Amino acid sequence: MGDIQQRIHELRGILKGHNYRYYVLDAPQISDAEYDQLLRELVDLEQKLGEPIPDDSPTQTVGYKPDTAFSSRKHAVPMLSLANAFSDTEISDFVRRHKELLGDNTNLTYIAEPKVDGLAINIYYEFGQMVYAATRGDGISGEDVTDNIRSVSGIPWRLTGQVPAQLEVRGEVYMSKASFLALNQKQEAAGEKLFANPRNAAAGSLRQLDASITAERKLSFFAYAIGLGGDAFASSQSELLAKLSAQGFAIQETALLADEQAMFEHYQLWMKKRPSLDYEIDGMVFKVNDFKQQKLLGSVARSPRWAIAYKFPAEEVETVVEAITWQVGRTGVITPVANMKPVLVSGVMVSRATLHNIQELGRKDVRVGDRVVIRRAGDVIPEVVKSLSIGDPSRSQPTLVPKQCPVCYAAVEQEDGEAAIRCMGGLSCSAQLKERIKHFVSRDGFDIEGFGSKLSEALVDKGLIKTIADVFNLDYEVLSTWEGMGEKKITNLEQSIESRKHIVLSRFIYALGIRHVGQATAMSLAQHFRTIDAMQTASEEALLEINDVGKEVAASLMHFFAEEHNQQVLQKMFEYGVQVQAEQAVEIDSNHPLAGKTVVITGSFSNIKRNQAKILLQQLGAKVASAVSKNTDVLIAGEKAGSKLKKAEELGVRVVDETQLLAWLA
Ligand code: IVH
């Protein structure tokens, strides 16, 4: 490539960047005159070269045109992932394999890098100019997120000096703990949904169609690997990181280690350091430092033999149990809850943790006043790991299992073979009723805007709601005498309730909150019966014909519709104007890659709930199974996928990730 071509390339990159700063960020860095000068130079050079000018050259565009939203980008070199280790023994095995493969006398040096908890990105540079950036995706290709990457700190837009003509730089985009807390505060103030952890927040922020939103979210980057162009660039990981750092990439603190003993110690050291870091890490990555040795070791399946992630256990924190209370759920299940002195666990304040059921409570033997260790399971739901006070003679007595519902005083029963105890008060129990109302009006149910938890509870407490049907028969005059219930609020509420009276069957069934009937089952039922009448009068045999419906579900449905009280409530609802619309048959596009395929979905996803995904997959004509077998066509694996992923890999079942899932659903 001649000098002119190279300069043209460079100018296009520079001008694109300035367009982005000007049009997207509203924060130009150079004067209009300077901009015009660069543009002039580009126009002249393009003319001089006399070759066809691509449409996306800044001489051909006005403003900043984003590349097609999240179009797919194939990585020049596939992006691998890392094998995990959870014990020192597994690290010893890792090192031993290297000795076996390379010879006992080989001089091996390992480099240790913290494992940042974010998402992997591939940034492609041509002649030192950033051309595009893409998410890891399935490792082969990912989503183009170039526009959004431009506002991430720690990533240079252009590289200087001697760099390979084509270079893929890889690393992790993450959100600092501070930015995460600030973002959630802002979300809360605006009544928007909160992010569960910095990783989800980073993923959600990077997948914004509006790049200026990503820019506000303050994401950062650490570089840790190279794809295309790597061989020419450096001969070891430590040299690579030094060179990337010199180019303006942010890199992490690393250390060179001679043997496994040093790795164990280093791992312990960082585990202690972890809480004081400004970003989340979930382990240490150990890599063979020398690239030649890396090549010799090669990779197995989708991860290299020369690297491993030694994962940290979930962060554990101590606190004190102040009370054990009993919570009554929508279906009457009574759950023990530990109320604790508030503490920060992995960046989140925790003061309550479920103890699941009475067996669990007994097994863990948690008592009021105990010092306990808590952690956030899957870093989301807080749980009590153990009590530190067991054996202490001065402890309090075990908490008694309630014989009566703590809310309505109805009898408590434990069904055969079930861990749960239940309040028998049914809908006369205000706790059950409150939860039922919340579920009924929730986003996946009737989706009534402005009908939050507080309102639901107050309406039950003040006797304005006695059954779910009463949602459509509110006494607005009484309501208007309540504090904080201004005219405008009442009108809005009335309007949103009114606007939701027409509802499709699947939502309606789900909103009723019938035991064992979740969203996916509600959808299968609706697709099968189409109308509420057919549904209500279905026989057990008819119910059992449906894919998703087993004996338990069928019995629960029969029971629900046979119950006189329920029939009256449904009748009332219809009288108040609720109209259940027949479910539209979903038209299955037989050309869709998933039509007729058997898929299994496991793990958690950042941008979609698993249940939601399940429904959408069904609508595409896929059969969603619960276990992986040799009949499975595809396993869709999210974060923290466990045994199902293992099984799929053993059976050679195709495994895809969230990016592919979203692409299929799009
Ligand atoms: S190296 C060939 N280094 O962990 C190996 N990955 O579980 C490619 N990660 O997809 C990855 N910190 O998202 C590497 N210092 C680090 C890392 C790191 C975080 C993530 C990355 C990767 C995942 C694999």
Side-chain angles (χ1 to χ4, degrees):
M1 168 177 285
D3 286 351
I4 295 188
Q5 259 169 321
Q6 183 145 353
R7 178 66 182 155
I8 287 177
H9 201 86
E10 192 174 76
L11 283 168
R12 284 180 187 155
I14 294 171
L15 286 164
K16 260 193 175 175
H18 286 306
N19 284 346
Y20 170 81
R21 287 208 165 101
Y22 186 93
Y23 291 103
V24 179
L25 298 184
D26 252 347
Q29 259 188 347
I30 57 172
S31 69
D32 289 3
E34 285 167 308
Y35 179 89
D36 288 341
Q37 201 180 341
L38 290 168
L39 190 65
R40 209 41 285 148
E41 189 188 344
L42 180 58
V43 170
D44 289 348
L45 289 177
E46 282 179 343
Q47 236 165 32
K48 204 157 152 193
L49 189 69
E51 282 181 5
I53 302 167
D55 288 346
D56 68 342
S57 170
T59 57
Q60 312 297 308
T61 56
V62 184
Y64 188 84
K65 268 218 194 68
D67 302 315
T68 4
F70 306 136
S71 58
S72 168
R73 287 281 185 190
K74 194 165 175 353
H75 310 309
V77 171
M79 292 178 81
L80 301 178
S81 67
L82 295 170
N84 290 328
F86 298 94
S87 66
D88 285 359
T89 326
E90 286 171 274
I91 296 299
S92 301
D93 291 345
F94 171 69
V95 172
R96 189 164 36 73
R97 276 197 301 277
H98 296 161
K99 296 244 154 91
E100 279 166 14
L101 288 162
L102 299 177
D104 249 345
N105 299 324
T106 316
N107 227 332
L108 277 161
T109 302
Y110 294 91
I111 184 164
E113 300 167 6
K115 187 170 190 297
V116 206
D117 204 6
L119 60 154
I121 294 290
N122 183 39
I123 313 165
Y124 175 65
Y125 293 87
E126 222 170 65
F127 303 104
Q129 282 300 327
M130 185 199 292
V131 178
Y132 64 79
T135 60
R136 177 174 179 281
D138 59 4
I140 306 297
S141 50
E143 284 180 322
D144 188 314
V145 287
T146 315
D147 291 335
N148 296 349
I149 278 296
R150 289 185 189 275
S151 63
V152 176
S153 72
I155 302 177
W157 294 12
R158 54 190 292 228
L159 312 176
T160 51
Q162 281 294 314
V163 286
Q166 296 178 307
L167 186 69
E168 287 181 320
V169 177
R170 282 145 189 206
E172 202 86 347
V173 167
Y174 68 94
M175 188 178 282
S176 72
K177 290 179 187 171
S179 302
F180 169 69
L181 290 176
L183 171 61
N184 261 357
Q185 253 164 25
K186 221 172 123 189
Q187 293 283 105
E188 190 165 17
E192 300 280 341
K193 82 161 205 204
L194 299 188
F195 292 98
N197 54 47
R199 205 197 78 81
N200 281 1
S205 302
L206 200 58
R207 289 192 80 267
Q208 288 289 332
L209 287 172
D210 179 351
S212 60
I213 297 181
T214 309
E216 277 171 21
R217 299 279 180 89
K218 299 217 173 22
L219 298 172
S220 312
F221 180 81
F222 282 126
Y224 52 62
I226 209 122
L228 190 66
D231 298 337
F233 196 52
S235 62
S236 69
Q237 177 72 1
S238 49
E239 186 192 348
L240 170 69
L241 292 175
K243 285 202 162 164
L244 290 175
S245 169
Q247 288 291 348
F249 287 100
I251 59 161
Q252 298 195 84
E253 191 188 326
T254 59
L256 290 173
L257 307 171
D259 54 26
E260 56 189 77
Q261 199 52 44
M263 294 192 217
F264 302 156
E265 282 161 22
H266 201 72
Y267 173 81
Q268 292 297 334
L269 183 81
W270 275 85
M271 198 140 66
K272 292 210 185 68
K273 239 169 142 157
R274 182 186 186 194
S276 62
L277 291 177
D278 183 37
Y279 55 96
E280 299 266 3
I281 61 173
D282 58 352
M284 293 301 290
V285 182
F286 296 123
K287 300 174 181 171
V288 169
N289 191 41
D290 186 85
F291 282 174
K292 269 205 232 73
Q293 289 175 336
Q294 287 189 2
K295 265 235 163 65
L296 286 170
L297 290 168
S299 29
V300 255
R302 285 143 55 103
S303 38
R305 276 204 199 85
W306 45 264
I308 201 159
Y310 192 177
K311 301 293 277 286
F312 291 138
E315 197 181 335
E316 298 189 340
V317 181
E318 285 179 29
T319 182
V320 174
V321 176
E322 291 174 334
I324 292 174
T325 53
W326 299 88
Q327 188 175 308
V328 187
R330 173 164 60 84
T331 56
V333 173
I334 303 179
T335 315
V337 178
N339 296 256
M340 299 159 302
K341 199 164 158 228
V343 273
L344 204 62
V345 192
S346 326
V348 172
M349 266 306 186
V350 172
S351 60
R352 283 161 60 85
T354 170
L355 292 160
H356 299 290
N357 51 51
I358 49 178
Q359 278 83 343
E360 178 93 347
L361 175 63
R363 198 171 57 71
K364 289 191 174 157
D365 191 16
V366 176
R367 303 186 194 178
V368 177
D370 278 9
R371 255 204 108 63
V372 288
V373 175
I374 64 169
R375 70 170 169 219
R376 285 178 37 229
D379 271 343
V380 186
I381 307 156
E383 70 174 10
V384 176
V385 181
K386 63 176 177 208
S387 167
L388 297 172
S389 306
I390 288 172
D392 179 347
S394 65
R395 289 171 98 188
S396 66
Q397 291 298 308
T399 297
L400 293 177
V401 176
K403 292 207 165 48
Q404 288 177 313
C405 171
V407 177
C408 74
Y409 306 110
V412 165
E413 280 180 18
Q414 184 168 18
E415 279 169 35
D416 287 346
E418 272 202 49
I421 55 171
R422 253 169 224 286
C423 158
M424 292 290 117
L427 289 184
S428 65
C429 172
S430 65
Q432 287 188 45
L433 182 57
K434 283 175 188 171
E435 294 311 310
R436 205 162 267 255
I437 302 291
K438 288 181 206 170
H439 176 84
F440 188 70
V441 301
S442 70
R443 219 178 49 200
D444 298 325
F446 267 84
D447 190 20
I448 301 178
E449 214 174 302
F451 210 124
S453 315
K454 283 220 180 79
L455 181 63
S456 303
E457 292 186 6
L459 287 166
V460 172
D461 282 337
K462 305 214 170 153
L464 261 64
I465 283 191
K466 297 213 164 54
T467 73
I468 47 177
D470 291 338
V471 166
F472 299 101
N473 187 34
L474 291 180
D475 190 335
Y476 291 104
E477 249 167 58
V478 175
L479 210 53
S480 67
T481 64
W482 290 12
E483 212 184 288
M485 274 293 176
E487 206 173 309
K488 180 118 190 66
K489 235 181 174 168
I490 301 265
T491 321
N492 287 346
L493 182 65
E494 205 171 343
Q495 269 172 7
S496 50
I497 292 175
E498 209 50 43
S499 72
R500 293 290 188 233
K501 280 187 174 169
H502 295 238
I503 185 169
V504 287
L505 180 60
S506 51
R507 269 178 181 274
F508 184 73
I509 298 173
Y510 174 74
L512 292 177
I514 303 165
R515 237 175 118 188
H516 307 303
V517 180
Q519 258 181 308
T521 308
M523 178 53 90
S524 303
L525 289 165
Q527 280 294 324
H528 186 90
F529 292 109
R530 303 254 185 261
T531 67
I532 183 68
D533 290 336
M535 166 83 243
Q536 253 181 295
T537 50
S539 68
E540 187 165 357
E541 295 79 67
L543 287 167
L544 286 170
E545 264 169 37
I546 303 167
N547 222 339
D548 240 14
V549 176
K551 276 222 144 58
E552 211 176 24
V553 178
S556 172
L557 284 160
M558 296 299 290
H559 179 82
F560 182 90
F561 288 113
E563 177 123 348
E564 206 185 311
H565 172 78
N566 290 338
Q567 286 174 2
Q568 285 166 2
V569 169
L570 289 177
Q571 197 47 46
K572 275 263 179 284
M573 246 186 266
F574 303 144
E575 277 168 27
Y576 297 145
V578 170
Q579 283 185 27
V580 184
Q581 291 161 345
E583 194 77 17
Q584 290 284 319
V586 282
E587 288 216 15
I588 292 172
D589 168 9
S590 54
N591 289 325
H592 193 281
L594 289 184
K597 291 283 186 310
T598 302
V599 304
V600 174
I601 177 163
T602 187
S604 59
F605 301 89
S606 328
N607 295 291
I608 189 165
K609 284 203 191 120
R610 200 165 60 210
N611 238 337
Q612 191 67 32
K614 192 172 159 189
I615 294 167
L616 294 171
L617 288 166
Q618 284 172 339
Q619 292 180 348
L620 288 175
K623 285 188 223 90
V624 184
S626 54
V628 175
S629 73
K630 59 179 195 317
N631 297 328
T632 310
D633 292 304
V634 183
L635 176 76
I636 304 170
E639 274 300 300
K640 308 233 154 75
S643 57
K644 286 182 191 166
L645 177 58
K646 217 168 174 182
K647 182 95 188 268
E649 279 168 351
E650 278 165 23
L651 292 174
V653 168
R654 179 173 179 207
V655 178
V656 302
D657 69 355
E658 176 163 359
T659 317
Q660 179 62 65
L661 169 68
L662 296 173
W664 276 333
L665 296 180

